[in-house]
Amino acid sequence: MSHLAIHVELLCKRYRVGERERYFALRDVITRLVTSPFRRSARTSSDILWALRDVSFDVQSGEVVGLIGRNGAGKTTLLKILSRITQPTSGFAELHGRVGSLLEVGTGFHPELTGRENIYLSGTILGMTKREIDRKFDEIVAFAETEKFLDTPLKHFSTGMQMRLAFAVAAHLEPEILFVDEVLAVGDIEFQKKCLGKMQEVSKSGRTIVFVSHQMNQIRRLCGRVLWIDGGQVREQGPTGSVVAKYESASLQPVDTAGGQSACFRKWTIGGEDNVIRDGLREVAFHFQLRLSEAISQGHFGIAILSDTGSVLAGWGFDNLDIPDGDQEIVLRLPFLPLRPGSYALTCSVFNKGNNLNGGRLMEQWYALPPLVVDTPPLSHPQDRWAGIFNIPAEIEVESLSRR
């Protein structure tokens, strides 16, 4: 346990639908105890929502762990419990080290106080001494880029300015454990890159980070391990590449196949092993196994790779194929396929043309399962919306034109 930063065991959190969590004075607690035997609750079991249920995991000191899942899965609730903002219904969590939390813009700030005063307030809440804050003050201000507004009340700050200041305080005051919850989506692209760089710097110093993001490129770049929260439970945990790929694959919905039953795709693999591309800059071989009840004459085989929205990212078609009936394998070789990491739908079709001059008869269109998974180190832009579809290495140089 000496190397554990976080130990979570059977953590549960229950809410009543439509009821906000309240905080009571001592007299309220006594009154509730006295009157509770005489009250009849109108609530039913259907009013209960389990935000977390039996969540257990460990995080080692110095680890950077990603927390992924769809909206409402329980990620923020989990971080609020770990940050001691709210109490669990049952179970427990042990944290070994000073904690810094960045869960919402302006958390720990007071709107009537100036930026300068809020740096000291937030730092004190994080458990820092005035001397520690003094030592880091200039770095915080420079990182947040709020020098001109230090003596302005926080309520006059834009959301982006509050975000920059909040992140700067949490990251620079050296917490041993740092929780970050999707707050980078608020800042502009340059600031997001700056924050990612700072978190990488923090992680290399041996501190522990738990990072929530819907940007899978950010998760891949920063995190060595990932927890996938689904419906308030840990659905999967493990190495970043494999867990993120399963999470992305789950969002791809299988599509009904079209055509007759004369052809049947049985399975597909890459390189005869699994369905994962681990190096898209080398040759990639797709293997498709079919069972044909009739021979194909002058046929056509088509394959396309689709995005999660159904857009065709790449496609190939091959004509004049003669394929005997029975069990067959089609191998498609590509010199490289540098797609950015993620999961993709794969669709294949077989036409039997024969003497048909109108393009032939569709024997089967198949949406391959499982999806195609690309599990390679991300080389493109850290923001998903700017990363495009390719994962191609690049180098940049700056040359002075005046020296030529």
Side-chain angles (χ1 to χ4, degrees):
M1 291 288 281
S2 59
H3 297 292
L4 278 180
I6 303 170
H7 174 65
V8 175
E9 189 169 323
L10 298 176
L11 205 63
C12 298
K13 181 62 179 179
R14 182 185 64 192
Y15 292 103
R16 290 192 181 276
V17 177
E19 181 177 81
R20 298 182 64 181
E21 192 167 20
R22 297 175 58 196
Y23 302 91
F24 299 96
L26 178 59
R27 65 179 182 183
D28 298 318
V29 174
I30 295 173
T31 302
R32 285 165 60 89
L33 288 173
V34 172
T35 60
S36 58
F38 306 102
R39 285 201 311 265
R40 299 182 64 180
S41 175
R43 299 279 184 177
T44 66
S45 59
S46 61
D47 295 316
I48 294 174
L49 171 67
W50 288 94
L52 295 173
R53 198 155 201 170
D54 297 330
V55 171
S56 299
F57 63 90
D58 292 329
V59 177
Q60 301 293 325
S61 296
E63 264 196 299
V64 182
V65 176
L67 203 57
I68 63 174
R70 61 183 178 82
N71 290 332
K75 306 184 297 298
T76 299
T77 299
L78 175 58
L79 289 194
K80 285 183 175 180
I81 291 175
L82 295 179
S83 301
R84 304 294 190 255
I85 294 173
T86 188
Q87 294 294 318
T89 302
S90 61
F92 67 92
E94 296 177 354
L95 279 75
H96 303 273
R98 187 161 54 185
V99 175
S101 299
L102 193 54
L103 307 187
E104 296 174 356
V105 176
T107 299
F109 283 179
H110 194 293
E112 299 296 333
L113 299 180
T114 66
R116 184 188 306 274
E117 292 166 335
N118 270 295
I119 290 174
Y120 282 91
L121 172 64
S122 181
T124 303
I125 290 173
L126 289 173
M128 307 297 169
T129 65
K130 184 177 182 300
R131 180 174 296 179
E132 287 178 290
I133 300 172
D134 288 340
R135 181 165 50 88
K136 290 286 185 178
F137 186 86
D138 290 340
E139 289 181 47
I140 293 169
V141 174
F143 187 94
E145 301 174 5
T146 55
E147 296 95 329
K148 296 181 180 179
F149 307 95
L150 269 181
D151 297 309
T152 302
L154 193 76
K155 64 183 179 181
H156 298 306
F157 281 36
S158 68
T159 301
M161 289 166 59
Q162 291 184 42
M163 177 67 257
R164 293 200 299 269
L165 191 61
F167 184 90
V169 173
H172 282 79
L173 294 183
E174 300 181 356
E176 293 163 293
I177 303 172
L178 178 62
F179 298 123
V180 183
D181 183 12
E182 196 59 58
V183 293
L184 302 189
V186 178
D188 57 32
I189 292 175
E190 288 304 314
F191 177 68
Q192 291 176 24
K193 289 167 63 177
K194 196 174 181 180
C195 291
L196 283 172
K198 184 61 181 178
M199 284 195 289
Q200 288 174 330
E201 179 187 320
V202 168
S203 66
K204 289 176 182 177
S205 68
R207 284 173 279 171
T208 307
I209 300 175
V210 178
F211 178 49
V212 173
S213 179
H214 289 99
Q215 299 279 338
M216 292 301 107
N217 260 9
Q218 292 181 355
I219 293 288
R220 284 187 172 95
R221 285 174 182 270
L222 190 64
C223 305
R225 190 163 63 90
V226 165
L227 275 75
W228 174 9
I229 304 294
D230 187 27
Q233 297 180 303
V234 178
R235 178 164 170 176
E236 195 88 27
Q237 60 176 306
T240 298
S242 59
V243 177
V244 169
K246 290 178 182 178
Y247 170 68
E248 291 174 321
S249 297
S251 67
L252 294 173
Q253 298 298 320
V255 182
D256 292 336
T257 57
Q261 298 299 318
S262 54
C264 185
F265 285 89
R266 294 297 186 182
K267 62 179 289 189
W268 79 279
T269 59
I270 294 175
E273 297 178 357
D274 53 22
N275 309 90
V276 181
I277 294 176
R278 294 185 173 83
D279 188 349
L281 299 178
R282 297 178 181 271
E283 181 185 273
V284 177
F286 291 86
H287 295 247
F288 299 95
Q289 294 184 12
L290 300 84
R291 177 168 295 171
L292 300 175
S293 59
E294 62 179 87
I296 293 176
S297 174
Q298 296 295 297
H300 171 88
F301 175 75
I303 174 175
I305 300 173
L306 310 177
S307 69
D308 56 359
T309 61
S311 300
V312 176
L313 304 179
W316 301 268
F318 303 90
D319 292 315
N320 303 318
L321 297 177
D322 294 324
I323 308 175
D325 60 0
D327 292 334
Q328 308 294 338
E329 182 174 76
I330 295 175
V331 181
L332 174 68
R333 299 187 189 279
L334 307 176
F336 49 81
L337 187 59
L339 289 173
R340 62 176 265 201
S343 294
Y344 301 88
L346 198 64
T347 181
C348 310
S349 59
V350 175
F351 287 80
N352 194 0
K353 290 187 176 182
N355 296 323
N356 191 328
L357 300 178
N358 296 319
R361 174 171 54 88
L362 174 64
M363 299 181 70
E364 183 175 37
Q365 182 179 7
W366 183 57
Y367 284 83
L369 291 175
L372 166 65
V373 173
V374 179
D375 183 15
T376 57
L379 304 173
S380 53
H381 198 284
Q383 292 297 306
D384 287 356
R385 63 179 175 143
W386 295 108
I389 63 171
F390 298 115
N391 195 45
I392 302 173
E395 296 181 357
I396 188 171
E397 293 181 3
V398 178
E399 296 183 3
S400 175
L401 297 178
S402 62
R403 295 181 181 177
R404 289 185 175 180

